Amino acid sequence: MSIPSKEGALAGLKVLDLSRVLAGPWCTQILADLGADVVKIERPGVGDDTRGWGPPFLKDADGHDTTQSTYFTACNRNKRSVTVDMATPEGQALLQRMAAQSDVVVENFKTGGLAQYGLDYQSLKAANPRLIYCSVTGFGHDGPHAQRAGYDLMIQATSGMMSITGRPDDVPGGGPLRVGVALTDLFTGVYASTAILAALEVRHRTGEGQHIDMALLDVGMAILANQASAFLNTGDVPQRQGNTHPSLAPYQEFQTQDGAMLLAIGNNGQFARFCEAAGHAEWAADERFATNTLRVKHRDVLIPLMQDVTRTRSTAAWIALLEDKAVPCGPINNIAQAFDDEQVKARGLAVTLPRDAGDGIASITGVASPLRLSATPPVLRRAPPALGQHTDEVLAEWGVDPAQIAALRAAGVV
């Protein structure tokens, strides 16, 4: 049995993070959790836009709100914050110097936006051919909408995601809805980290870096998954149908004696076991419900029958009845209930990291990395940083002498 390393899988990898908000920072946090040294570049005195996206805000030692949002902390763990004004020639020269020593640059400026600073891929590649440069934009670097700014909400609307999220128009509460988190931003971050790892593998073979063009729109379309496949291969436009599934039944919420539960029945065996446990074995033998396709076809008959039965027990009683019968069943938790779940606790999914930034915030709690590698697991070593917390430290490491740092600070460049 191997002993887990104290260094992550990407130890030694230098990442210059020029991204802000969520998609880019989510990508670089994944790399940082895996051991990469991620240096986050922020505007002096202002920082990443999300530092001010509140409420809610982090609390100080006395329980009072600070001016630092909880949003920023969700995607900036394990990074070091350096403030540089890239609008100044000195700041541009400093970032070019840092990029020349980096393995990866991640940025999410508008198409062509960094060329004026000499921080675009072609400019940086000339000094560092091994550089892997990942751009994150709303619509990509080509096409008629390439110059548009892209935000997750816009992409959820444009991609069709909102058209399949929510209840149908003809029921109470009907209408298109966004997903409760910035889904396309998050998935773009995950896809971007995967692309960077692939580019690193290519560099191992060729010695050359490359440019990665990540677009929220591309990702938004990709994660339509089975819904996109259904349309592309049938021409039928998927519709909103609340918590029911277009291709599975019963696969939805059911009212119970004290609330509601989820049943996610995906095959005939699960359905038969549910029917037996619920005291209605005859449903599984009913020719209308004998297969999943038939259950989908006759769901308007099946679901009311099931609802009448599920209301006779509490949610906890149903879970207790079904959990040893391999019938997927669970509660519909709020977030507090989810973090109180015994399995969530057993997996250690809430992690508190100390912070010594002199700002009265002693620690920050976040969600653990879901990446579980046996030999090189993620190492959560730093809380999300205060603005500019590591400027002097990082610049010194990257070859800037103290006198230069002092001059840059006096000039407002850092």
Side-chain angles (χ1 to χ4, degrees):
M1 178 178 175
S2 61
I3 299 174
S5 172
K6 292 183 179 179
E7 292 187 325
L10 300 180
L13 192 76
K14 286 189 173 184
V15 179
L16 187 63
D17 185 2
L18 304 181
S19 67
R20 303 93 66 208
V21 188
L22 185 54
W26 195 259
C27 164
T28 52
Q29 180 171 266
I30 293 171
L31 302 178
D33 283 354
L34 289 172
D37 178 13
V38 176
V39 173
K40 181 178 181 68
I41 303 301
E42 301 188 69
R43 291 176 294 169
V46 179
D48 190 309
D49 294 347
T50 62
R51 286 188 180 274
W53 282 14
F57 294 100
L58 295 172
K59 307 287 186 180
D60 63 20
D62 297 321
H64 300 134
D65 278 352
T66 66
T67 59
Q68 301 184 54
S69 76
T70 61
Y71 195 115
F72 175 85
T73 70
C75 51
N76 288 291
R77 173 180 61 214
N78 274 341
K79 303 177 188 180
R80 296 189 288 174
S81 173
V82 173
T83 50
V84 178
D85 184 357
M86 69 171 61
T88 64
E90 298 86 351
Q92 294 158 22
L94 181 58
L95 291 174
Q96 290 162 5
R97 178 176 176 177
M98 296 177 75
Q101 302 177 54
S102 298
D103 296 289
V104 178
V105 167
V106 178
E107 59 89 8
N108 63 344
F109 287 75
K110 287 184 181 180
T111 296
L114 288 178
Q116 62 183 315
Y117 305 125
L119 296 172
D120 57 304
Y121 174 60
Q122 292 301 328
S123 298
L124 297 182
K125 176 188 177 183
N128 183 2
R130 291 174 53 82
L131 184 66
I132 294 163
Y133 188 105
C134 180
S135 298
V136 178
T137 60
F139 295 90
H141 283 281
D142 53 20
H145 299 160
Q147 294 298 325
R148 288 186 181 179
Y151 288 87
D152 176 87
L153 181 61
M154 292 170 54
I155 302 301
Q156 287 201 35
T158 302
S159 68
M161 180 65 71
M162 288 177 63
S163 77
I164 56 171
T165 305
R167 299 187 181 278
D169 289 333
D170 59 354
V171 302
L177 291 173
R178 71 173 181 89
V179 179
V181 293
L183 191 70
T184 49
D185 272 338
L186 297 172
F187 265 97
T188 299
V190 173
Y191 273 109
S193 66
T194 303
I196 288 168
L197 296 178
L200 285 168
E201 181 60 26
V202 172
R203 193 177 74 177
H204 291 327
R205 302 196 300 268
T206 67
E208 297 290 322
Q210 60 182 292
H211 182 242
I212 298 167
D213 174 9
M214 293 299 310
L216 269 66
L217 178 65
D218 299 354
V219 173
M221 301 298 292
I223 63 176
L224 291 174
N226 58 294
Q227 298 280 34
S229 179
F231 167 72
L232 292 171
N233 290 285
T234 68
D236 296 331
V237 179
Q239 302 296 310
R240 290 185 302 281
Q241 53 186 85
N243 291 325
T244 64
H245 194 287
S247 304
L248 294 171
Y251 197 96
Q252 63 183 82
E253 87 278 13
F254 286 86
Q255 296 302 305
T256 64
Q257 201 172 63
D258 60 350
M261 66 173 179
L262 247 295
L263 279 175
I265 292 175
N267 59 51
N268 297 335
Q270 291 172 355
F271 181 64
R273 291 192 294 276
F274 169 80
C275 295
E276 180 71 27
H280 287 276
E282 73 278 4
W283 291 345
D286 192 311
E287 62 182 14
R288 296 170 298 177
F289 313 138
T291 67
N292 175 71
T293 299
L294 290 170
R295 290 192 292 275
V296 171
K297 181 179 180 181
H298 297 290
R299 76 166 89 217
D300 58 332
V301 177
L302 174 62
I303 300 307
L305 292 174
M306 293 179 64
Q307 291 277 22
D308 287 343
V309 173
T310 59
R311 289 190 177 96
T312 64
R313 288 185 173 90
S314 68
T315 298
W318 277 112
I319 294 171
L321 177 66
L322 297 174
E323 64 183 351
D324 64 346
K325 297 176 177 60
V327 177
C329 172
I332 303 174
N333 288 332
N334 62 32
I335 291 177
Q337 291 168 329
F339 277 108
D340 195 44
D341 182 274
E342 61 182 13
Q343 183 67 14
V344 171
K345 292 179 178 178
R347 296 286 285 179
L349 294 180
V351 178
T352 299
L353 296 172
R355 184 164 97 167
D356 184 16
D359 57 1
I361 298 171
S363 63
I364 297 175
T365 302
V367 182
S369 170
L371 303 174
R372 303 293 174 109
L373 288 75
S374 62
T376 53
V379 180
L380 305 189
R381 57 202 185 279
R382 293 189 185 94
L387 179 61
Q389 181 179 344
H390 306 98
T391 300
D392 289 6
E393 169 188 312
V394 169
L395 294 184
E397 286 178 12
W398 291 37
V400 184
D401 66 48
Q404 288 178 301
I405 295 173
L408 290 169
R409 191 175 296 282
V413 176
V414 302

